[in-house]
Structure formats: C-alpha cells, structure tokens
Amino acid sequence: MKLPLLLLVTLSLALLSFANPVALYPRQNATGASVGSPCASVSSLVSGQSAAASPTVPAGVAYECIKSVPINKTSALLLLQDIKPYINWQSTVAYLKDPPAEYVDKIQPAWDVWAELDKLETKVRNDTYSGEYDFGWDLYTTFQRTHDGHFVYVPDSVGGVFTWGRPVSIVSISEDGKELPKPFVYTDILAASFPNSTYTPSAISEIDGVAVDDYLESWSQFGSLQDRDALFNNVFYNLAQVQLGESGAATGTFSGGGRGRWVYPGAYTTLTFVNGSTHTFENFAISLYSFRGVQNGSDVADKYFYFNEGQTASAMAKAQDEAKVQVDADKTSSKRTRSTPAPGYPEPVEFANDNSIAGYYIDEDEYSDVAVLAVAAFGGDIYPDTFQSVGTDFIAKAKQANKTKLIIDVSANGGGTILLGYDLFKQLFPSILPYGATRFRAHEAFDLIGQKFSWVAREYPRTEDAVSSNLTGLDVVPSAFNYRTDVDIDYKNFESWPEKFGPHAYHDDNFTSIIRWNMSDTMNYFNGGINITGYENRSNFTAQPFQATDIVIITDGYCASTCTIFSELMRQQGNVTTIAFGGRSQYGAMQAVGGVKGTNNFYWQDIKYWAREAYELANHEEQVKWNQSFEDNYRSYVPMNRAAQSPGVNVRDGIRQGDETNTPLQFVYEEADCRIFYTAEMTLDVSAIWKAAADSKWGTISSCVAGIGSVDASSATDSGARVKAAVAKKGKIDPALLDSLKLYTNQNKVYKGEGFMTP
Ligand SMILES: *[C@@H]1O[C@H](CO)[C@@H](O)[C@H](O)[C@H]1NC(C)=O
Ligand SMILES: *[C@@H]1O[C@H](CO)[C@@H](O)[C@H](O)[C@H]1NC(C)=O
Ligand SMILES: *[C@@H]1O[C@H](CO)[C@@H](O)[C@H](O)[C@H]1NC(C)=O
Ligand SMILES: *[C@@H]1O[C@H](CO)[C@@H](O)[C@H](O)[C@H]1NC(C)=O
Ligand SMILES: *[C@@H]1O[C@H](CO)[C@@H](O)[C@H](O)[C@H]1NC(C)=O
Ligand SMILES: *[C@@H]1O[C@H](CO)[C@@H](O)[C@H](O)[C@H]1NC(C)=O
Ligand SMILES: *[C@@H]1O[C@H](CO)[C@@H](O)[C@H](O)[C@H]1NC(C)=O
Ligand SMILES: *[C@@H]1O[C@H](CO)[C@@H](O)[C@H](O)[C@H]1NC(C)=O
Ligand SMILES: *[C@@H]1O[C@H](CO)[C@@H](O)[C@H](O)[C@H]1NC(C)=O
Ligand SMILES: *[C@@H]1O[C@H](CO)[C@@H](O)[C@H](O)[C@H]1NC(C)=O
Ligand SMILES: *[C@@H]1O[C@H](CO)[C@@H](O)[C@H](O)[C@H]1NC(C)=O
Ligand SMILES: *[C@@H]1O[C@H](CO)[C@@H](O)[C@H](O)[C@H]1NC(C)=O
C-alpha cells in the first residue's frame, strides 16, 4: 500500500472501534417467556443510557426482540388493501414489469409490483408470517427492489422501532488510481496517512466468510439507487455524504447510513484481511423508543404500532416525541455560519450553511483557473433564494477572479426542489430554453382531481396576490392538476384539462401528454420559491459565464431526482461532459447518474389530502358518483399509521427530447464520459477529487480508466504524485474526519438519512 508516507505518530486509531464479540444481554429464552425476553433486555439496556446520544443496543438482541412481535393479520390485510390506490400513481410500474433489455442487462432485473403485492397477500392469508417483522420486511423490499428512490414504504416494524449499524466504516480505493479498487477499513487509512506514519493497512478479503466483492455487491443492492456502481459507492465512507450531516448517507450503508439503517447486518461481522488476520465485532441497533415498561413483543405492538384506520400520530411522530431527541430542521436564510461540518473540504468562497451548495477555489497555482461549485442537494434546510444566490454570487466572484474552468461536483446529490435544478441550468446557460419533458401516469384519481382543480382554478387571476390570499387558490392554482400551470411539448399552453390528461398509450399503460415546466409562469414562486434566472427580476442575466467545454460535471453515481433533471439539461442541451468516480472493482465504463431519474415524487398524505379536497369541491351529484371508486380509496389512514416515515411514489417520468419510444429516462442506460477510481487521498481531502477531474478534463494527465483520454491500466504511471504531495503538505489529518465516524450514532437527533427528495 503506497500512501502518503508521513511517518509515525500513533496507530491507536486503527480498529479502535472493534468491540469484543461478547453478548451483553441475557440469551433469548426460546419459549418466549417474559423473564429475560429480548424486548425486556432492550428495555433495561436502553434505560441505562444517557440522553446525550442515540441509545444503542446489541443488534442481536434487538433483532430477536423485533422478531418476537406477533403479526396482526387483520391489520396486515387492511394495509395491503389500503396501499393499492397509491400504487396507481407510480409512473413506472408497467416498465418495471417489462423493462428494456439493456436495463435488465446492465442495471436491474424486472420487478412486477402488483404481482408481488398479491403474493404478499396470499402469504398473510396463509399464515406464512408469524411475526410483524417478516411481513414488514417483505413489504419493504416489494418497494425497495424497484430501485426507485421515490417509491418507498418503510413499515413500522422495519424502520420505526430500531435502525441498524456496524461500528466500522470502509472505503474502496485504488492504490495508484489504475489498479482495481479494494476495500479497506477507513480508520486504517486515517492511521496510515497520519503524519509520519509507517503503518501499512491490509485490504479486506472476506466478510463473514464470503469473498469481499461478492459480499459488498450483494449488500449494496439494499440501497435506493438503480445503478450498480452507484449502489456500490454508497456502501462506503464518502466526504460528500458526510458533509450533509443527518440528511446524507452518513458514513455509508455498510456502517448503517442511508438505506443501510433498515437492513439487519447480523449480530456480528467478521472481516478477514489480505494479511490473513481476522476481526469480529458486534453490530448495533439504535432504539427509537425508550422501551419503558416493555416486557415482550406484544407490548411493542401495543405501544408502538398503530393498527387503526383513523387518524393518529404516525409511529415516527410518536417516536420523535418519546425519544430523547428533537429534529431541528428550521429553515434559515443565513449563509454566514457553516452549521454542518464538512471535514475534508477546503475553506469555501461562498456557501450555504447546510452545505447543500458551496463554491471553492483550489489553492494551488496549477489550478488557479479552476472554480468548483459543489452542489450536494438542490436546497435543504435553507430557503430557495439562499440556494440561488450562493450560486449566483459564486459564479460572479469566480469570473472576477479570472477563473475560466468550472467543476460542478454533484456527488451525494439526492435531489431537492425541482425549479432550483432548472434555475442552476439557466444561470449557466441563460440563452437555452430547458426542454425537460415529463408525464404522469393517466389514471382515474389523477383525472378526477385534475378536472376539479382545473375547474375551480378558473375563478382566480393567475397572480401571486390573488392566490396567496386564498387557501383554496393556493392549493389549486399553482398545482400540476391545473392545466394552466405548465406547457405542452411545444412550449404552448394547454387549452383544457383533457388536452393535458390524454391519455396516451405506451408500453401497455396510459400516460398524460408531455408536460414541460413553464419558466415564466407567474406561479413559479409557489412551486420553487424563486424567480427563475432569465425571467422577472432576473431577466438581466443574459451572459453565459463559462463555455460548455470549460465545464465538467463530476459525480459519485449518487445523483437522483432533481440532480438527474439538472444533469440531463447540462448533458443534452449544454453539451457538458461528465466524470464518474468510484464504482465496482472492475474496469470499464460507469454511469454518471445512478439515482432515480423520475422527475417528481408525491408523498401519500398529500395525495390523500388532494383527493379529499377535490371531493369536497365537487357537487353532490359528483360526490355520490365518486364515493365508490374514488374518495373511499383515500379514506384510510392505515398506510400512514403503519409507516415509519412518509411513504412516497414517483409520479412523473422524464422523457428525452427526440425519443420516439417515449421511454422513461429511469430505464435508459448512459455511460459517463470518463471514469476515475477513488484513491486514499480522495477519502481524506476532497480537493484530490477535483484535481484529478481538472487534470483529466483539461490537463495532460488523465486519470480516466474508461472514457475520454483513458489510460491503459497496464501502463499505469504514478499520476497521483501531485495529489499525494498536497496531502503531505497539509501535515495533519483533520480531526473532524475522526469525529465524522460517529455521525450516524452520535447525533442526538433523528437521523433522516435519505438525502433530499424532489417535492
Ligand atoms: C424459558 O422460560 C420458561 C418459562 O419461564 C422456563 O421454564 C424455561 O426453563 C426457560 N428456558 C431457558 C432455556 O431458560
Ligand atoms: C389488529 O388490527 C385491528 C385492525 O386494524 C385492530 O382493530 C385490532 O385491535 C388489532 N389487534 C391487536 C391485538 O392489536
Ligand atoms: C397458500 O395456500 C394455498 C392453499 O392451501 C396454497 O395453494 C398456496 O400454495 C399457498 N401459498 C403460499 C404462498 O403459501
Ligand atoms: C515527523 O518526522 C520528522 C522528521 O523525521 C520530525 O521532525 C517530526 O517531529 C515528526 N513529527 C511528528 C509529529 O512526530
Ligand atoms: C493485518 O491488517 C489489518 C488491517 O489493516 C491490521 O489491523 C492487522 O494489524 C494486520 N495484521 C498483521 C499481523 O499485520
Ligand atoms: C407481555 O407483557 C405484558 C406485561 O407488560 C403482559 O401483560 C402480557 O401478558 C405479555 N404477553 C405475552 C404474550 O407474554
Ligand atoms: C484578472 O485578469 C485581469 C486581466 O488580465 C487583471 O487585470 C486582473 O487583475 C485579474 N484579476 C485577478 C483577481 O487576478
Ligand atoms: C377564496 O376563499 C373564499 C373562502 O374560502 C371562497 O369563498 C372564495 O370563493 C375563494 N375564491 C376566490 C376566487 O376568492
Ligand atoms: C388505458 O386506457 C384505456 C381507455 O382509454 C383503458 O381501456 C385501459 O384499460 C387502460 N389501461 C390501463 C393499463 O389502465
Ligand atoms: C420576482 O420578480 C418580480 C418582478 O418581476 C418581483 O416583484 C418579485 O418580488 C420577484 N420574486 C422573487 C421571489 O424574487
Ligand atoms: C441584474 O439586476 C440586479 C438588480 O438590478 C443586479 O443586482 C444584478 O447584479 C444584475 N445581474 C446581472 C447578471 O446583470
Ligand atoms: C450542443 O451541441 C449541439 C449539436 O452539436 C449544438 O447545436 C448546440 O449549439 C450545442 N450547445 C452548446 C450550449 O454548446
């Protein structure tokens, strides 16, 4: 292992966190007797802990506890029934069942959601499940295996009582940027790169006795993304995710970040290293409840699950109430203080304090012409106009400072506000009208709400004043259910709801007409919180700040939702090239965009609310007619009461300009222009990533292992020398890197862990 060899200070960092594999709890009594029951053990373990951090218990005892919760068959059947109306909104169900061949070959297998739900129902009726957890897990994976980050249902039993983790974070790195990447324990890399370290870490060869690549590739499949290389990256510690704090994937899914928190990792994990040594450590569960007075699995169901159809506080809301923690997601317009640490990042030139957007220069002469705009989310815990102005101010400063090259780093970007994606594109290409075609699935509920909202909206002048003073107006006028809100494929207004609704048949299903966002719509403020650059009070932005060839987008594959809207515009209309980092341990190309390419998600409770509102706005005759088919379907609160977090569906497909087949972009495979392996330095100092990108795109040294200017791996030269020298110059490891390893467990906050979603 050739690391920046900076000689020895301490090795105590290495494997600090390996606990002895001893059981800390009474073994489960197989008869399930109350004394010494696993849930009683959880109760006593949690009560002994301070309020400072999230309470953790050994994963094994938590698992036995959650497995001992008996199934409520009546409620399970009700749940399976009541989620069906929401599945109708999912735009990709027909394509998931029968995907294009290239998607099956390179991305994911087919998955028939309706058939899987039927199988689940049969199993519940057959008493196949004795416990809530096994049923909940099958229901969770029925959604998760679509690999659509917008389509998510997390049952109470899966995500509402415990979340899981391992006390170790790992990274996958290539020793010289050319050799195939191998996984290492991250604290080993930290120890080795400590000043004066002579320590040489060894790669992991097996996990729990399984060859490491096989183990990690199959573990990675529990993620939300569709692309296999992007899923693989998401397993590991990644500086871009870490800087998102409790909104990102923390230290990677292997250690319980992101979707990793909902997957039981076993009671223990055993790592075998290439040097032959082995370490076994105990995995943990975070308890989201106090477990006060809980004696057994039935108590967990009684206290923490909500079986009724009526409106009750959701399990998650209760959890937050009862647990020792409070979410503090107050929006703030301040961009002065950086409230979330960004270890491994240099001092920003401009930034939003949640790190969703920040601009940097690279502090070295060779890169003095390069500016970096890191966009980790399209808005988060900040106001949209703050997000917009950070971008605007940074671009202006970079121009003034004579920067001619722009790297846009969208690593870890799980999306955000749709119109902020359009706006950033317009800031960079003010003269291009974004194409951005979308369509909904055309089904009865969508049609009825659209008819009603479009009808009611006719009374309102389409002005901010008229709408903001009237609650109904606020709901119906700026909505996608109002045909006046957006424009057709030719960027012309729709004349009527039926013209917008269609339906048009593709792939054995029905869809609306192509719908595009109207950049100058007077209601954009209500949908995006900003005026889009090029319009209204931003119509004086007319100069393109950077040539297309002077811009490059870099990703870790984790580009989802609004990020995919933005990168599609940049790639297809801006002609900007992309570089993808990391991926599986193999040569060959990688996709730059590996997350959900659906262009809008809805939360189920919003659908429920709109259905109710349309019903209330209807006349009596319509109500009588709708009762059977429509309003009844959205009456039940069971799907919300049984969920650990807001369930969602993907409601819009993105369609590429000129695609005669109208295939949703979710099912279109597209390679990045260049692929670069991560090196050790890139896991310590993000500017190593930016320098490799700048060199490969504009310099003479390419790090591309596939794509433009790619280097033949067999003739690998040490192109990372400059980068290593830079780490050496720093002379010390940022202590925040060490702190960040506790990101998932030591939050004293509810870990949100999903990245941001397109509202
Ligand atoms: C389990 O509990 C039952 C009832 O309390 C008891 O009879 C039995 O001996 C226990 N078994 C073990 C293995 O502790
Ligand atoms: C099971 O669920 C049903 C229907 O939701 C509910 O009425 C009943 O009380 C629940 N049973 C138990 C034991 O909680
Ligand atoms: C459910 O029971 C039916 C009838 O006993 C049987 O045909 C079927 O195979 C069972 N299905 C499952 C999934 O157990
Ligand atoms: C690292 O090594 C250099 C030269 O050998 C020495 O001067 C320096 O004190 C060492 N630093 C630490 C932190 O041990
Ligand atoms: C083997 O490598 C692991 C991981 O780097 C390290 O913890 C361990 O100390 C090494 N064992 C020996 C005998 O060098
Ligand atoms: C679970 O414990 C409660 C007391 O907390 C008790 O009333 C109940 O009977 C127990 N249930 C089972 C199935 O052991
Ligand atoms: C930018 O370039 C101009 C023209 O070459 C020069 O006058 C100016 O000082 C430069 N600005 C900076 C910040 O380097
Ligand atoms: C606004 O709201 C009021 C009260 O809810 C309602 O009566 C009125 O018709 C609404 N519409 C307009 C266009 O003001
Ligand atoms: C599509 O719409 C037609 C009527 O326009 C209807 O007959 C058909 O059942 C619909 N297909 C699906 C899959 O809903
Ligand atoms: C949008 O621009 C208009 C002027 O065209 C201005 O009145 C309004 O305040 C602007 N809105 C925002 C959110 O900046
Ligand atoms: C556009 O006009 C606004 C307000 O007049 C001004 O602050 C801003 O600097 C101008 N921007 C550009 C790119 O001209
Ligand atoms: C992108 O490429 C197309 C086709 O070569 C060209 O028509 C278009 O002007 C280019 N756009 C930009 C922003 O360079």
Side-chain angles (χ1 to χ4, degrees):
M1 178 88 207
K2 280 167 270 152
L3 274 165
L5 280 190
L6 311 166
L7 317 184
L8 175 107
V9 163
T10 172
L11 298 183
S12 63
L13 292 169
L15 306 173
L16 205 57
S17 42
F18 289 121
N20 286 332
V22 285
L24 300 172
Y25 55 93
R27 296 297 306 167
Q28 184 195 25
N29 185 323
T31 65
S34 64
V35 172
S37 90
C39 291
S41 302
V42 170
S43 179
S44 68
L45 286 164
V46 170
S47 72
Q49 294 182 39
S50 83
S54 310
T56 59
V57 297
V61 68
Y63 188 63
E64 287 173 14
C65 168
I66 197 71
K67 291 272 280 187
S68 74
V69 178
I71 193 169
N72 182 330
K73 187 172 169 180
T74 314
S75 179
L77 290 172
L78 213 50
L79 176 58
L80 289 175
Q81 195 54 46
D82 294 347
I83 66 179
K84 285 183 180 163
Y86 299 95
I87 312 291
N88 281 329
W89 294 75
Q90 175 67 26
S91 62
T92 57
V93 167
Y95 288 84
L96 283 163
K97 181 181 173 184
D98 175 28
E102 191 175 31
Y103 176 90
V104 176
D105 186 34
K106 296 178 177 162
I107 307 177
Q108 292 291 339
W111 188 246
D112 185 341
V113 175
W114 287 113
E116 292 298 326
L117 285 171
D118 286 347
K119 279 190 220 162
L120 260 176
E121 187 177 328
T122 305
K123 285 164 91 176
V124 172
R125 289 194 192 284
N126 276 17
D127 298 313
T128 305
Y129 301 110
S130 59
E132 282 291 349
Y133 181 80
D134 289 345
F135 164 66
W137 177 253
D138 280 358
L139 180 57
Y140 172 68
T141 53
T142 297
F143 285 78
Q144 187 271 328
R145 289 176 73 172
T146 62
H147 288 277
D148 177 331
H150 286 161
F151 189 54
V152 54
Y153 191 85
V154 187
D156 41 18
S157 58
V158 171
V161 180
F162 298 115
T163 62
W164 312 101
R166 294 181 171 101
V168 163
S169 303
I170 57 179
V171 288
S172 174
I173 54 180
S174 164
E175 294 196 14
D176 57 3
K178 305 297 171 218
E179 280 178 35
L180 287 179
K182 298 187 196 81
F184 288 84
V185 171
Y186 185 53
T187 46
D188 277 5
I189 300 301
L190 281 173
S193 52
F194 219 76
N196 296 0
S197 174
T198 54
Y199 176 66
T200 303
S202 183
I204 302 164
S205 58
E206 286 176 16
I207 299 177
D208 291 344
V210 178
V212 70
D213 288 345
D214 294 343
Y215 187 96
L216 293 177
E217 282 182 37
S218 87
W219 173 266
S220 75
Q221 283 291 321
F222 289 118
S224 65
L225 312 170
Q226 70 274 12
D227 179 74
R228 288 172 181 269
D229 291 303
L231 283 162
F232 193 74
N233 281 346
N234 197 212
V235 169
F236 303 102
Y237 182 98
N238 175 336
L239 294 171
Q241 291 283 1
V242 167
Q243 62 152 354
L244 285 171
E246 81 256 24
S247 302
T251 48
T253 65
F254 185 76
S255 58
R259 289 286 180 102
R261 71 197 189 282
W262 294 324
V263 186
Y264 175 58
Y268 303 99
T269 301
T270 298
L271 300 183
T272 306
F273 296 93
V274 168
N275 66 8
S277 73
T278 295
H279 285 279
T280 296
F281 49 86
E282 187 166 49
N283 302 323
F284 62 86
I286 294 176
S287 176
L288 302 176
Y289 286 109
S290 72
F291 271 77
R292 256 189 299 278
V294 171
Q295 290 302 318
N296 51 45
S298 309
D299 284 350
V300 170
D302 285 352
K303 281 172 171 278
Y304 303 141
F305 291 1
Y306 300 85
F307 293 119
N308 297 324
E309 283 186 88
Q311 184 171 17
T312 51
S314 75
M316 200 58 190
K318 275 289 270 224
Q320 287 170 14
D321 229 30
E322 203 210 328
K324 305 151 180 172
V325 294
Q326 278 297 321
V327 184
D328 178 14
D330 283 349
K331 304 238 180 228
T332 159
S333 58
S334 161
K335 46 176 179 164
R336 294 272 68 88
T337 50
R338 191 159 168 137
S339 63
T340 311
Y345 278 73
E347 276 301 307
V349 176
E350 285 286 325
F351 64 98
N353 70 7
D354 64 350
N355 300 335
S356 55
I357 183 167
Y360 302 88
Y361 301 150
I362 306 174
D363 187 20
E364 268 171 72
D365 290 348
E366 291 130 290
Y367 303 97
S368 61
D369 55 345
V370 179
V372 181
L373 185 60
V375 187
F378 282 95
D381 291 341
I382 54 164
Y383 289 116
D385 59 342
T386 305
F387 179 92
Q388 184 183 47
S389 67
V390 170
T392 303
D393 295 350
F394 178 67
I395 290 169
K397 276 194 182 167
K399 292 293 291 177
Q400 270 161 27
N402 294 337
K403 308 290 175 189
T404 55
K405 309 274 189 273
L406 180 67
I407 293 173
I408 301 180
D409 185 350
V410 293
S411 297
N413 192 317
T417 303
I418 296 167
L419 289 178
L420 290 179
Y422 281 88
D423 181 73
L424 188 55
F425 173 73
K426 287 293 291 179
Q427 291 197 39
L428 294 161
F429 293 100
S431 65
I432 301 180
L433 178 66
Y435 181 66
T438 74
R439 69 176 188 203
F440 289 82
R441 181 166 183 270
H443 58 99
E444 189 198 29
F446 185 74
D447 192 15
L448 293 180
I449 299 174
Q451 285 179 31
K452 191 45 65 186
F453 278 28
S454 288
W455 171 252
V456 171
R458 83 194 184 290
E459 291 177 23
Y460 295 82
R462 215 171 161 77
T463 63
E464 285 190 21
D465 282 354
V467 166
S468 56
S469 58
N470 190 295
L471 278 183
T472 303
L474 206 50
D475 284 343
V476 301
V477 179
S479 155
F481 299 109
N482 176 5
Y483 69 85
R484 301 165 189 85
T485 295
D486 23 41
V487 288
D488 68 9
I489 191 165
D490 299 318
Y491 208 69
K492 301 219 171 63
N493 289 107
F494 290 104
E495 301 289 319
S496 66
W497 173 256
E499 198 196 324
K500 182 174 180 177
F501 180 74
H504 307 272
Y506 292 103
H507 214 85
D508 285 334
D509 207 353
N510 297 318
F511 299 93
T512 63
S513 304
I514 292 291
I515 298 166
R516 294 169 63 187
W517 285 92
N518 179 354
M519 295 292 102
S520 61
D521 183 50
T522 50
M523 295 292 103
N524 279 346
Y525 177 71
F526 297 109
N527 285 317
I530 51 162
N531 287 330
I532 291 173
T533 299
Y535 302 91
E536 302 286 343
N537 61 352
R538 291 176 69 88
S539 58
N540 60 338
F541 286 74
T542 52
Q544 182 175 320
F546 296 92
Q547 295 302 308
T549 49
D550 288 335
I551 307 176
V552 67
I553 293 181
I554 67 175
T555 84
D556 57 358
Y558 199 111
C559 176
S561 197
T562 297
C563 181
T564 73
I565 297 174
F566 171 73
S567 48
E568 172 76 1
L569 296 173
M570 292 291 285
R571 185 87 192 79
Q572 296 299 316
Q573 292 187 263
N575 302 340
V576 169
T577 49
T578 55
I579 300 178
F581 280 80
R584 287 167 292 174
S585 186
Q586 60 184 36
Y587 293 109
M590 171 177 160
Q591 298 198 93
V593 177
V596 59
K597 296 176 186 168
T599 55
N600 201 176
N601 67 316
F602 282 171
Y603 292 113
W604 296 13
Q605 54 263 50
D606 292 335
I607 293 174
K608 186 179 194 307
Y609 173 80
W610 292 322
R612 182 73 210 168
E613 189 169 28
Y615 180 80
E616 280 168 0
L617 290 167
N619 61 38
H620 181 68
E621 220 172 282
E622 287 169 325
Q623 287 185 343
V624 170
K625 198 173 74 191
W626 289 2
N627 257 337
Q628 300 302 315
S629 64
F630 176 62
E631 205 266 340
D632 252 12
N633 289 337
Y634 298 96
R635 203 186 289 273
S636 168
Y637 282 92
V638 169
M640 293 78 193
N641 292 345
R642 297 298 314 269
Q645 62 158 40
S646 302
V649 278
N650 182 72
V651 293
R652 297 202 210 199
D653 299 326
I655 308 286
R656 183 165 295 169
Q657 190 161 18
D659 177 4
E660 303 283 321
T661 67
N662 276 263
T663 304
L665 285 168
Q666 174 75 1
F667 299 91
V668 175
Y669 176 82
E670 184 179 14
E671 291 171 356
D673 299 299
C674 155
R675 177 185 177 198
I676 297 178
F677 289 149
Y678 285 116
T679 60
E681 294 76 15
M682 295 176 188
T683 70
L684 305 168
D685 179 354
V686 77
S687 60
I689 292 173
W690 302 335
K691 291 174 203 167
D695 286 346
S696 303
K697 170 76 181 166
W698 300 297
T700 51
I701 308 168
S702 173
S703 299
C704 305
V705 293
I708 44 169
S710 65
V711 171
D712 178 4
S714 62
S715 68
T717 55
D718 195 357
S719 66
R722 246 174 6 168
V723 164
K724 287 179 186 173
V727 174
K729 240 191 292 180
K730 285 181 69 161
K732 66 177 171 52
I733 299 298
D734 186 348
L737 287 173
L738 280 175
D739 283 356
S740 72
L741 291 169
K742 303 261 169 59
L743 182 56
Y744 173 47
T745 48
N746 256 12
Q747 313 231 27
N748 194 19
K749 278 188 179 174
V750 171
Y751 171 63
K752 291 181 278 191
E754 262 296 82
F756 298 90
M757 295 285 214
T758 317

